[in-house]
Amino acid sequence: MSAPVLSARKSRFYPTAVLLIVFAIDFSTFLCSAADTDKEKEIAFQAILQRMEQKVLALRDEFERVYQFRCDTNTLDQCGRNNYNDCYSSYPDAECAAGDEYFEIKCENGETCPASWDIKRTKVTIPDSLSLGPDGNPTDPEIIESVCYTRLLEPFLLDNYEDDESFWSQYGLPASWTYFGAHNGMFRMLPASREECYGFDPRRRPWFVAASSGPKDLVLVLDTSGSMNDYGRLDLLKEAAITVIETLSVADKVAIVTFSTDASVLNGQNMLIRATKENKDKLIDTVNQINANGSTNFHAAFTETFSLLDLTFQNESTTGCNVAVLFMTDGKITIGPGHEEVIELVNNKVKEYKTEHDRTMTVFSFSLGRDADEIVSKSIACSSNGIWIPVEESKAYGNDITTAMASYYKLYALGLGDSANEDFVAWVQPYEFYSRKRMGTTVSAPVYDRSVTPHLLLGVVGTDAYMDAFAEIIGEDASSSDMLQRFISLSTARCPKIE
C-alpha cells in the first residue's frame, strides 16, 4: 500500500519543480525585458538631450558668424528696419494661441485671450534702465549695434523653429523659445510674444550665468556692521545678495557668511549647499531677515569663510570647479587683526587651495560708499587674480552694488572661451515657464568674438524644451527628485578649465 502513496508523491513533486523552473525562466525573461525597456528609455532621453545641445551649439556658431559681418552694408540696412518688442509693437502675424497652458493678458485686437505670439518674427527686449530713448528705444551705441547684427539671425531662427515644430509634434508638444541674451542686456527671442513690460535682463538669469561661468563654489561674504544701516546700504546689500543667489543654477554650490564684530554662516550651514530652487529660496528668506549692528572684523569674516570651505573640501562636497568669494564691505577694520594679517590669511589660503586641492580661488571685492576700505579689498582681489570694484550708494544702473556683484561671471567668461572649453553647454534645473505655466528646462552656450585674444563674451544663446517629453519617456514626474538629480548630473558633467 505504501508504493502507490510514494508514487503519488512523486507525481506531485516533479510537476512543481518544473513549474518553479518555468517561473524562474519567465521571471528572468521579465527582468531582461524590463532592463531592455529601461535602456531604451534612457537612449531616447539621451537622444533628446543630444539634439538640444547640437541645436544650441549650431545657434552659437551662427551668431558668431553673423557678428563678423556687423559692419557690412546688409547689416547696416537692418538698422533702418523696425525691430519688434513686447511693450509697444503690434505683430503683423500675431495669433491667439488656444489652450489654457498659455498665459497672456491681451491679444492684438485688445481682447483678453490665453496668448498672443508671432512665430514668423523675433522680438527684442531691453532692460528698463537702458531703454532711455522714445518708445523704449536704446540710446547706447553698443546695444543698438547688437540689435542690428542679431536681426540677421531671423532666417536661421525661423528654419530652426520649423524643424522644432516637426520634432516636438511627435510628443504632442509645440516648439518652444530660442533666444540670445547679449552681454550688454539686449535680448532677442523667437517666437515674438506679447508680455507685460518688466525690463527683462537676461544677464540675471541662471541659464545666462551658468553658460558664461560654468559650475562653481560661491561664498558671499557680507558686511552687516552697524554702519550698514546708513544711507540705505543694508537694503542695497540684500538686493545685491538676492540677485546673485537667483542667478545660480544647480551646477553651483553656495553659502553666505555675514560679519560684524564676529562672523557666522547663514542658516547654520557648515558646508556649501547645492543651489537648487528650494535651497535658494531658503537663503533668500534668510537674507531678507538680516540686521546690521556691531563693529567690522575682516579677519573673522575670512576665517569663517575658510573654515566653511575647508570642511566642504574635506567632505568632497564641492563642485570640483572654481571657487568664487564675493566680499562686500562699507567700512574699514575696527576690531580684530589688522590689514597685514587679513591679507596674509587670504594669500595663504589661495596658495593652499591651489597646491593641496588643485582649486583656483578668486576673491571679488566690493567697497560700498566713500568710507569703505580700499587697501585690504584691493590687495586680496589682486593677489587672487580677482576684481576690486568701488561702488557708490547710488542705484544708478551700471554703478550700483547689485550690478557690480552680479557681474562677477564676466571674469570667468574670459577663460571659458578658450579652446580647452570648446562646445561647453549648461543645463538648468526644470522650472515653470512664465508665459505658459508649464515645466520646462533650458540648455545654453556662450557666444564669443573669437577674432581677438582673449575671446570676448558677446552673450549667451539658449533653447527651451517642455519637460512633458522627458517625463513621458522616462516615466518620472518633471518636478520629482529623480528628475532633478538627472539635471544636476547634466549640469555638473563638465568642469571648465578656467585660469
PDB file of all heavy atoms in Angstrom, residues 71 112 408 414 447:
ATOM      1  N   CYS A  71      29.475  95.108 -39.595  1.00  0.00           N
ATOM      2  CA  CYS A  71      29.727  96.408 -40.226  1.00  0.00           C
ATOM      3  C   CYS A  71      29.420  96.405 -41.720  1.00  0.00           C
ATOM      4  O   CYS A  71      29.653  97.409 -42.407  1.00  0.00           O
ATOM      5  CB  CYS A  71      31.178  96.826 -40.009  1.00  0.00           C
ATOM      6  SG  CYS A  71      31.604  97.071 -38.276  1.00  0.00           S
ATOM      7  N   THR A 112      -9.042  89.932 -24.272  1.00  0.00           N
ATOM      8  CA  THR A 112      -8.293  89.042 -23.398  1.00  0.00           C
ATOM      9  C   THR A 112      -8.331  87.627 -23.956  1.00  0.00           C
ATOM     10  O   THR A 112      -9.375  87.131 -24.361  1.00  0.00           O
ATOM     11  CB  THR A 112      -8.903  89.043 -21.990  1.00  0.00           C
ATOM     12  OG1 THR A 112      -8.851  90.365 -21.473  1.00  0.00           O
ATOM     13  CG2 THR A 112      -8.129  88.106 -21.066  1.00  0.00           C
ATOM     14  N   TYR A 408      30.168  89.308 -11.596  1.00  0.00           N
ATOM     15  CA  TYR A 408      31.418  88.579 -11.337  1.00  0.00           C
ATOM     16  C   TYR A 408      31.704  87.522 -12.401  1.00  0.00           C
ATOM     17  O   TYR A 408      32.857  87.181 -12.671  1.00  0.00           O
ATOM     18  CB  TYR A 408      31.346  87.896  -9.963  1.00  0.00           C
ATOM     19  CG  TYR A 408      30.404  86.719  -9.927  1.00  0.00           C
ATOM     20  CD1 TYR A 408      30.871  85.429 -10.175  1.00  0.00           C
ATOM     21  CD2 TYR A 408      29.042  86.888  -9.681  1.00  0.00           C
ATOM     22  CE1 TYR A 408      30.006  84.343 -10.165  1.00  0.00           C
ATOM     23  CE2 TYR A 408      28.180  85.813  -9.674  1.00  0.00           C
ATOM     24  CZ  TYR A 408      28.661  84.546  -9.915  1.00  0.00           C
ATOM     25  OH  TYR A 408      27.804  83.481  -9.928  1.00  0.00           O
ATOM     26  N   LEU A 414      35.912  85.081 -19.580  1.00  0.00           N
ATOM     27  CA  LEU A 414      37.138  85.261 -20.370  1.00  0.00           C
ATOM     28  C   LEU A 414      37.865  83.933 -20.576  1.00  0.00           C
ATOM     29  O   LEU A 414      38.367  83.645 -21.659  1.00  0.00           O
ATOM     30  CB  LEU A 414      38.070  86.261 -19.674  1.00  0.00           C
ATOM     31  CG  LEU A 414      37.654  87.726 -19.704  1.00  0.00           C
ATOM     32  CD1 LEU A 414      38.580  88.554 -18.812  1.00  0.00           C
ATOM     33  CD2 LEU A 414      37.675  88.271 -21.132  1.00  0.00           C
ATOM     34  N   VAL A 447      28.603  82.687 -26.374  1.00  0.00           N
ATOM     35  CA  VAL A 447      28.929  83.166 -27.719  1.00  0.00           C
ATOM     36  C   VAL A 447      30.080  84.161 -27.605  1.00  0.00           C
ATOM     37  O   VAL A 447      30.046  85.060 -26.747  1.00  0.00           O
ATOM     38  CB  VAL A 447      27.709  83.848 -28.376  1.00  0.00           C
ATOM     39  CG1 VAL A 447      28.065  84.353 -29.768  1.00  0.00           C
ATOM     40  CG2 VAL A 447      26.527  82.891 -28.431  1.00  0.00           C
TER      41      VAL A 447
END
